[in-house]
Amino acid sequence: MALAELDDTAVAELGPLLRDAARVVETLCRPEQTYMCMWSHGRDARKHLHIAVQPVTAEVGARYGGLRSEQLQARMLADGHEPDVREVEQFCRRARELFLVITDSSGERGDGVPR
């Protein structure tokens, strides 16, 4: 799957979803920057899309020597550091709640369906 292969419905849904994801990350993490990037790959050919919404705080920047963008992401992946499962679960709960608030205030129901 590639971005160029998405149908009109998927494209229309993707923009607001990415905006809302960025709003959630910005609210919960208060980063100096939020990266958004996409990869479309499989082992030997395109298979599916990955879209990353990554908060980059001053702490993260300092920990990785000021690296930015793809260099920062590559170093983070190479380090293999995984966050505590409980912290991830807590973040996901908070993010889910915030997504419901954001989508409700943007004219959609919590399930993403327009009212």
Side-chain angles (χ1 to χ4, degrees), residues 19-35:
R19 178 203 56 216
D20 292 347
R23 287 176 176 169
V24 167
V25 165
E26 294 274 333
T27 299
L28 295 179
C29 301
R30 301 288 183 205
E32 281 67 34
Q33 298 184 63
T34 298
Y35 294 163

Side-chain angles (χ1 to χ4, degrees), residues 83-112:
D84 179 75
V85 172
R86 291 177 302 257
E87 290 177 17
V88 172
E89 290 171 346
Q90 180 183 23
F91 179 88
C92 290
R93 278 192 297 278
R94 293 172 59 210
R96 187 177 302 112
E97 292 168 2
L98 191 51
F99 259 112
L100 290 173
V101 170
I102 287 173
T103 56
D104 188 48
S105 66
S106 68
E108 296 180 349
R109 299 186 328 208
D111 57 4

Side-chain angles (χ1 to χ4, degrees), residues 7-18 108 112 114:
D7 64 27
D8 290 344
T9 301
V11 169
E13 293 173 354
L14 186 58
L17 176 62
L18 293 176
E108 296 180 349

